[in-house]
Amino acid sequence: MKLFNLIKRYILFILILTSSCSKNSDDNIIIEPAGAAEYFINNETNKDIIIIYQKSEELGLEIDTTDVIEKNTSFKIFEDGIIGVNPAPKNSFSEIKFYESQDLINPFSILSPVENEDWTVINQNLGSSGYGLTTYEIKLTY
């Protein structure tokens, strides 16, 4: 009996929820263009690596770490999205440190500050608004 009452309440809730929606709800929709970015590291070295990066000030200066990026693989380290902007590397990162997975004390390379010129755009899919997804990559070859 309790199950029947629960189901009845659920159906009533769904009916109230759907009937309270206005047929003209499309009039209230606001569409703002947004951009997104994906960041890949292409590890063409003969070492497995780990990356520690600090996000930009706009993203709270949080520090994050990748899993081990095996040699001769490409790995997405981060995705970013912003309303009204196509994010670029300098919008997403303030610093990136590259380490061999066996030595997390001495980075073999540091990008500080991160500059857009350090990255290659490998794919870009922008809509008619001029906003969309851009895929960036850094190739490591040392």
Side-chain angles (χ1 to χ4, degrees), residues 24 61-62 65-66 74 77 81 111 116 118 133:
N24 295 327
L61 296 172
E62 295 175 355
T65 303
T66 65
S74 183
I77 64 167
L111 299 177
N116 296 339
D118 297 329
L133 176 64

Side-chain angles (χ1 to χ4, degrees), residues 36-40 76 78-80 119 133-137:
E38 299 176 315
Y39 300 100
F40 283 83
K76 180 169 38 174
F78 187 62
E79 293 179 8
D80 192 6
W119 300 78
L133 176 64
T134 304
T135 304
Y136 294 91
E137 176 186 69

